[in-house]
Structure formats: structure tokens, C-alpha cells
Amino acid sequence: MRTLYILQGRSFFSELVKRFYEGGPLFMSLILICLLVAIFFLIRGFLSLNKDGGVSKKMSALASDASLLGLVLGFLGSMIGLITAFDIVEATDIISTPRLAGGLKVSFLTTVFGSITFVLIRIGIIILKIFQKS
């Protein structure tokens, strides 16, 4: 039974890596950097709660900015992906529905990853602000 969970975990990880590359390594990497930087700011904000409230609030604001940047980069990646997909559609006379649907799916992967980044960090910011007030 434990082997099954390990295989499912490996399959889940390989699926994430596959989606990461499908979304375009450039934008997905930039969004991942935003996520990691925002997590760093959140952790630093939590660690400075007892020492200095001003630093904690500054870290909260920086985490908010980093998560917002990740969201905007996700939308920018989607728009560039859509423009590229429509350029290909315009250049070819015949386009198949599965190919168009696949192109649209890929263009929205950056939006999904940017939105997940934004939501996760927002939840962390809300928790940090709750601790800042008490």
C-alpha cells in the first residue's frame, strides 16, 4: 500500500513538472521566483513579530507586492501565449479543434500558477496580520 502512495506522489510531481514546462519555462520560472521571494518575506515577517513590529509590517507589504507581481506575470504570460496561438491560427488555413484547445490550455497555465501564488501568499499575509494585531 505504501508503494502505491510513493508512486502516486512521483506521478503527481512529474505531472507538476510537465505542466511547468508546458506553461513556458520563462514565465513559470519568474512566477516561481515571485512565490519563493514572497514566502521568504512571510517567514521573515513571522520571525520578526516579537522583535520589531515595523519590520513585520514591511515584510507583509513586500510579500503582498511579490504575490501581486506573480499574478500579473501570470496574466502577461497568458496574453503572450494567446497572441502566439492566434498568430499560428492566422498563419495556417486549417486548424483542428484539439490543437486550438491545447494551445488555449497551455496559455492559461501561467494564469493558474500566478493565481495560486497570489492566493497562497494572501492567506499567509492574512494570518500574519492577525498575529500582528494581537
Side-chain angles (χ1 to χ4, degrees), residues 1 5 15 24 27 59 71 113-114 117 120:
M1 195 67 161
Y5 290 127
E15 185 68 24
F27 278 99
M59 292 300 117
L71 180 66
F113 189 43
T117 298
L120 289 177

Side-chain angles (χ1 to χ4, degrees), residues 23 27-28 30-32 34 66-82 106-118:
F27 278 99
M28 296 294 267
L30 291 174
I31 296 168
L32 180 62
C34 288
S67 70
L68 189 59
L69 180 61
L71 180 66
V72 171
L73 284 172
F75 282 117
L76 180 63
S78 276
M79 293 301 110
I80 290 173
L82 284 172
V106 166
S107 75
F108 285 118
L109 286 173
T110 56
T111 302
V112 169
F113 189 43
S115 299
I116 290 170
T117 298
F118 182 76

